[in-house]
Amino acid sequence: MSLAGKKLLLIIGGGIAAYKSLDLIRRLRERGASVRAVMTGAAQEFVTPLSVGALTGEKPFTELFDAASEFDVGHIRLAREADVIVVAPATADLMAKMANGLANDLATAILLATHRPVLVAPAMNPAMWTHPATQRNFAQLIADGISAIGPNQGEMAESNETGTGRMAEPVEIVAAVENLIAIAPDKSSLKGKRVLVTSGPTREPIDPVRFISNQSSGKQGHAVARAAAAAGAEVVLISGPVELPDPSGIKTIHVNTAAEMLKAAEAALPVDVAICAAAVADWKIDDAAPEKMKKANGGPLTLCLSENPDILSTIAHHKRRPKLVVGFAAETEKILDNAKAKLAKKGCDWIVANDVSPETGVFGGERNTVHLVTREGVEDWPTQSKEAVAGALVRRIADTLKRAGK
Ligand code: CTP
């Protein structure tokens, strides 16, 4: 894919991997992008503004309070004029500032002021990367809708250590930028629309300390909620128990059981679009024990289960039926046949079918290979990140509503 005509803003953080950002600039420009660079104070200790400027063809921006650039291109303009902002290397310090909304230098002020897609390429020592504070900050950035590439595993430039922390290679960063541009939603394509998303597993209690649940991480559903919000929709996210932070700016309702999820979903109606991505437990335990159950002399335990309500089907047959009802189908075999049968059985408009057999690593993983099953037929989508699947799905939804004049 070409990046012709695209305006990229590259924020170079202060890490040893900053030397790779020079190659990154060259590769981005080779694909036709124009690149403006911003360097933090620390970055200038690793590479000089002269080298960066020679490659971008323009003096890099370094100061928040620079009389010349504040009158010319200040941080707000730098933030707004870019199609994509790339932070490479994204140091632990820079990510901590971003996650907390600090804005005490030009780089962080731009990152706080922008509404454009942001891609971070973390790079740091493995101990810093695995530190809970960095992991917390990184998770917050992802929840805020920021995309990331890497870090990779390997040897560190500054020591003999190996581990996770190497910045992704420039070619990988370029590919991630291309992907981000391809999936970037039109900011107003779902403006004025209300979208309901269910996400994550449900938990059905056996007793006060035990439950039945499943492997769903909620990553795909949460990504769909973020993509819909990024397209301008008012989103209600109903989430089962997940380890993901609530996406910023999205009303998130937390539930445990399928019955609670159904109640919250019905309460959210009317909506224009419902996307049921939750992995709802199919059964609940009849008469969950009010107290913790004790072992009974080595004898077997019999649990009596009954079927849970089907949230997707209830919404699809509701008197306040949304204009478009989308389900997901997690299958381990005969994916398309099962998905087509589900489309008919549940009365929804589309099914996003995915293969969740263990070898695919879909559950809990970052990538997904899906097929969009509609009444008109089946589309096979390429293997892509869950973010990209969400972006593509939201684009399809916006197009469909627009074409139908809804
Ligand atoms: N779904 C739902 N409520 C349920 C079960 C499923 O809303 N009680 C929704 C899911 O959110 C998903 C779709 O139905 O959008 C299909 O879920 P899946 O687990 O693949 O299908 P099931 O209906 O559970 O069928 P089976 O387990 O027999 O394959």
Side-chain angles (χ1 to χ4, degrees):
M1 186 189 149
S2 150
L3 291 174
K6 297 296 171 196
K7 294 191 191 128
L8 303 189
L9 184 71
L10 173 65
I11 295 181
I12 306 176
I16 185 77
Y19 77 93
K20 288 194 199 170
S21 57
L22 299 177
D23 187 30
L24 177 61
I25 296 169
R26 195 178 60 81
R27 288 173 189 273
L28 290 168
R29 291 198 66 191
E30 263 171 17
R31 280 174 176 67
S34 66
V35 182
R36 268 181 170 167
V38 168
M39 301 178 72
T40 64
Q44 297 168 58
E45 303 287 334
F46 290 91
V47 288
T48 67
L50 197 63
S51 322
V52 172
L55 287 162
T56 59
E58 188 183 15
K59 192 171 168 282
F61 298 87
T62 53
E63 303 301 326
L64 182 55
F65 301 110
D66 171 342
S69 65
E70 278 301 311
F71 287 121
D72 180 20
V73 274
H75 66 279
I76 300 291
R77 273 186 62 192
L78 284 171
R80 295 205 177 135
E81 285 180 358
D83 291 303
V84 168
I85 298 183
V86 182
V87 188
T91 59
D93 177 67
L94 198 43
M95 291 202 299
K97 286 178 176 154
M98 289 170 77
N100 289 286
L102 300 188
N104 60 353
D105 64 3
L106 180 61
T108 48
I110 290 170
L111 288 162
L112 196 61
T114 194
H115 293 297
R116 310 307 298 154
V118 175
L119 174 75
V120 294
M124 68 200 70
N125 171 278
M128 293 171 84
W129 170 250
T130 50
H131 193 284
T134 305
Q135 289 301 309
R136 223 172 25 241
N137 292 331
F138 184 67
Q140 185 60 55
L141 295 181
I142 300 300
D144 291 347
I146 284 173
S147 302
I149 174 83
N152 292 347
Q153 264 210 320
E155 209 167 302
M156 297 298 112
E158 76 282 19
S159 64
N160 292 331
E161 274 172 277
T162 49
T164 302
R166 271 175 72 95
M167 187 166 90
E169 293 305 321
V171 277
E172 296 173 289
I173 300 176
V174 170
V177 170
E178 289 171 338
N179 187 40
L180 204 56
I181 286 179
I183 66 169
D186 171 348
K187 275 184 298 183
S188 55
S189 60
L190 287 181
K191 204 166 179 235
K193 302 282 188 257
R194 253 172 80 81
V195 174
L196 164 69
V197 181
T198 69
S199 181
T202 65
R203 267 184 195 172
E204 308 300 329
I206 297 173
D207 67 18
V209 295
R210 302 183 179 95
F211 54 81
I212 295 183
S213 190
N214 59 61
Q215 304 254 34
S216 168
S217 65
K219 284 181 183 169
Q220 185 63 75
H222 277 54
V224 170
R226 283 198 301 272
E234 181 198 338
V235 179
V236 180
L237 172 64
I238 303 174
S239 174
V242 294
E243 285 180 17
L244 306 170
D246 291 352
S248 313
I250 293 179
K251 182 177 173 195
T252 306
I253 300 168
H254 297 272
V255 297
N256 273 308
T257 64
E260 289 166 10
M261 189 173 272
L262 175 65
K263 198 167 161 214
E266 287 193 278
L269 299 178
V271 295
D272 298 281
V273 182
I275 305 161
C276 293
V280 182
D282 288 325
W283 297 280
K284 67 172 189 295
I285 291 90
D286 292 338
D287 303 325
E291 305 298 338
K292 188 180 170 201
M293 290 163 64
K294 295 286 174 201
K295 284 193 287 289
N297 303 323
L301 169 68
T302 307
L303 290 175
C304 214
L305 306 179
S306 60
E307 238 177 71
N308 261 328
D310 192 306
I311 298 162
L312 176 61
S313 178
T314 307
I315 292 177
H317 293 100
H318 207 275
K319 56 179 189 298
R320 294 169 137 188
R321 187 190 197 277
K323 294 165 192 156
L324 194 64
V325 180
V326 183
F328 273 69
E331 305 292 348
T332 55
E333 54 164 8
K334 294 197 218 120
I335 299 166
L336 294 182
D337 288 347
N338 284 333
K340 283 179 197 159
K342 260 175 209 172
L343 183 79
K345 190 172 125 204
K346 306 216 176 197
C348 55
D349 300 297
W350 299 350
I351 287 271
V352 182
N354 58 352
D355 183 352
V356 294
S357 41
E359 61 275 17
T360 62
V362 166
F363 268 132
E366 302 301 331
R367 299 180 80 74
N368 211 349
T369 309
V370 305
H371 313 270
L372 183 68
V373 181
T374 69
R375 302 228 169 84
E376 285 75 50
V378 177
E379 283 172 31
D380 300 320
W381 289 6
T383 298
Q384 48 194 342
S385 68
K386 290 182 176 178
E387 292 290 334
V389 169
L393 183 62
V394 164
R395 268 210 311 278
R396 274 299 300 265
I397 290 172
D399 284 353
T400 303
L401 292 182
K402 194 170 163 203
R403 257 187 287 119
K406 289 177 174 173

